[in-house]
Amino acid sequence: MKSQPAAAVITMQVPFFRPDLGEGEIDEVIATLRSGWLTTGPRVKRFEAAFAAAVGAPHAVSVNSCTAALHLAVEALGLHAGQAVLVPTMTFAATAEVVRYQGAIPILVDCDPVTNNMDLADAERKLSAFHRAPGGMAHAPDVVGIMPVHIGGLMLDMAAVNAFAARHGLWVVEDAAHAFPAAWRPARGAAWQRCGENTATVTCFSFYVNKTITTGEGGMAVTHDAALAQRMRLMSLHGLSNDAWNRYAGGPWDYRIVAPGYKYNLTDVAAAIGIHQLPRAETMRQRREQIAGMYLEMLSRCELIELPPSDPNRIHSWHLFPIRLKLDALSISRNGLMEELRGAGVTCSVHWRPLHLHPYYQETFGFSADTCPNATAAFDQLISVPIFPGMADVEVEYVAMVFKNMVEHFAV
Ligand SMILES: *Cc1c(COP(=O)(O)O)cnc(C)c1O
């Protein structure tokens, strides 16, 4: 069907994301500034305790990014050169780079063509190919871990992931940057398990500005393992035996450097935001779920696209709303469509160029488009439309209308 492109009548500008910050967050930041204690202190302790309770984990270590949390997790697990880790190719830079920080090798795994989450069948294939590969290598790297990513907040089947890990003797570090709050259950009627509620050895969350809750920049690692939590806490602040707040708050002035740690601690200014985002997290998730429902309904009859899946056995965080274009039926590329949409006032994004299509991973490990064919195919088709709790109904309707008109305009 050929119709007038919506670009001809710009009526609205819809950004990809707007942070949702209330007076509570603002007042708490001001109170923190007035308190005289800006770095890691009492507000970080409050935020950690509240977050641990929210996901049902006994230990929560706050840091200044999810990347830092992922790094501390693999460090605490002893990851080192000569080892390898299964990492989904459909993810952000952070998931694989922390493996490289430790000198270890990321083995990139293809995605499921519907959810885009890591495909365990391909993980199995990559694992056996890896063991066979470098002809009789005397010291073939040991595959020690797997790092699932719940894309957009739609959780993987964690029983399947953990069974796979147990079968191959792997630890599991969950990149849950999109998955707070989110939950899964094996079947209808079974108990829900929250992401972080012992779903993995360590689960890492992001509070980057456009994630489901924010502290501006921030992250959290949660675990049921006290020794891992202790190691992550130690390494998050220079490997010091005694942190600044403890010293200030009446502890001994003295400290010992017990390991060459990092500078990953979260500030009280950031935690002040988190303390007030946390109680609003479920309300914000429900609003995103409502927006997803509106998109699903308004776009359901469009034959030119595939809409993201949902699942009655998942509590979906709806951090993203990725649409797949049926390129065979369209006379425009994904990038071309994104430009047209931007011209009509709608800013979209792509999640993601898969890791095996980036120069660093191709040049260092010899990955090519064929390494992960599902992800290679998905990359050209994926487009994420705006979804954030402060989006007005009229904005959602506008995005859906413009998107639908635009793809229909370019139908072949
Ligand atoms: C955003 C993101 C990260 C990194 O989070 P930061 O807090 O910015 O370090 C890691 N993994 C995924 C999948 C992400 O989307």
Side-chain angles (χ1 to χ4, degrees):
M1 184 184 107
K2 300 278 175 197
S3 60
Q4 185 72 6
V9 277
I10 298 177
T11 59
M12 217 178 269
Q13 293 287 329
V14 186
F16 185 66
F17 188 81
R18 274 196 307 264
D20 183 347
L21 300 166
E23 291 305 310
E25 286 87 328
I26 291 165
D27 291 347
E28 192 76 34
V29 168
I30 292 167
T32 310
L33 298 180
R34 292 197 196 287
S35 79
W37 191 269
L38 272 58
T39 187
T40 312
R43 285 184 171 82
V44 162
K45 301 247 177 291
R46 266 170 68 193
F47 183 46
E48 283 180 344
F51 192 85
V55 297
H59 308 286
V61 178
S62 63
V63 282
N64 56 20
S65 71
C66 179
T67 309
L70 291 164
H71 183 204
L72 292 177
V74 298
E75 195 281 337
L77 285 159
L79 183 65
H80 58 76
Q83 295 183 327
V85 178
L86 294 162
V87 175
T89 193
M90 267 299 181
T91 187
F92 183 60
T95 326
E97 81 194 16
V98 302
V99 173
R100 296 301 296 137
Y101 290 178
Q102 297 302 106
I105 298 171
I107 305 174
L108 299 183
V109 178
D110 207 356
C111 60
D112 175 275
V114 177
T115 63
N116 289 327
N117 282 335
M118 177 163 53
D119 174 17
L120 288 179
D122 190 60
E124 193 83 60
R125 279 193 294 276
K126 292 291 194 296
L127 206 51
S128 46
F130 188 78
H131 285 312
R132 278 195 317 269
M137 254 171 80
H139 303 288
D142 249 354
V143 185
V144 294
I146 185 166
M147 300 177 75
V149 179
H150 308 298
I151 299 180
L154 180 70
M155 287 185 75
L156 283 100
D157 175 341
M158 288 312 290
V161 172
N162 284 300
F164 178 92
R167 199 157 64 241
H168 296 288
L170 311 175
W171 45 250
V172 182
V173 170
E174 252 175 327
D175 179 339
H178 302 180
F180 178 77
W184 83 287
R185 60 182 178 183
R188 274 177 212 270
W192 289 104
Q193 187 182 23
R194 287 167 282 177
C195 187
E197 190 178 12
N198 220 2
T199 37
T201 319
V202 182
T203 304
C204 302
F205 297 93
S206 176
F207 312 132
Y208 182 67
V209 66
N210 68 8
K211 296 290 162 64
T212 56
I213 68 167
T214 189
T215 60
E217 297 275 3
M220 190 82 77
V222 309
T223 180
H224 278 58
D225 184 319
L228 286 177
Q230 196 184 4
R231 175 72 183 180
M232 291 191 290
R233 193 174 295 287
L234 179 78
M235 295 306 279
S236 73
L237 193 67
H238 303 301
L240 303 188
S241 61
N242 188 11
D243 72 34
W245 173 251
N246 283 338
R247 281 179 273 136
Y248 175 82
W253 74 269
D254 202 4
Y255 59 83
R256 298 287 187 279
I257 300 165
V258 297
Y262 307 101
K263 176 63 178 167
Y264 283 165
N265 56 305
L266 188 72
T267 68
D268 261 26
V269 178
I273 306 172
I275 286 167
H276 291 270
Q277 287 268 290
L278 198 50
R280 298 174 51 220
E282 177 56 18
T283 310
M284 292 194 288
R285 188 198 69 80
Q286 284 173 13
R287 175 60 184 157
R288 289 190 303 272
E289 187 169 66
Q290 201 172 47
I291 293 167
M294 290 171 71
Y295 278 144
L296 290 171
E297 192 182 312
M298 291 187 277
L299 297 171
S300 65
R301 278 174 302 281
C302 183
E303 299 288 321
L304 303 163
I305 58 174
E306 280 169 42
L307 294 168
S310 48
D311 184 331
N313 297 317
R314 297 292 182 275
I315 294 172
H316 197 323
S317 78
W318 288 110
H319 168 55
L320 299 176
F321 195 91
I323 295 174
R324 264 176 104 134
L325 304 174
K326 295 186 182 165
L327 291 175
D328 290 349
L330 294 169
S331 63
I332 191 168
S333 68
R334 186 270 321 280
N335 288 352
L337 185 72
M338 275 180 79
E339 245 169 73
E340 292 286 336
L341 289 167
R342 188 188 281 272
V346 175
T347 306
C348 295
S349 187
V350 175
H351 298 88
W352 296 269
R353 172 183 288 275
L355 295 180
H356 74 284
L357 298 182
H358 284 278
Y360 172 74
Y361 289 101
Q362 296 201 336
E363 288 159 16
T364 310
F365 300 104
F367 295 123
S368 69
D370 303 334
T371 308
C372 298
N374 289 347
T376 300
F379 171 53
D380 291 334
Q381 303 167 343
L382 285 169
I383 181 166
S384 299
V385 295
I387 183 166
F388 52 88
M391 235 179 139
D393 283 2
V394 288
E395 291 180 299
V396 182
E397 285 158 8
Y398 182 73
V399 171
M401 177 200 72
V402 168
F403 195 94
K404 192 164 178 291
N405 287 352
M406 199 73 81
V407 288
E408 282 171 359
H409 178 75
F410 290 104
V412 288

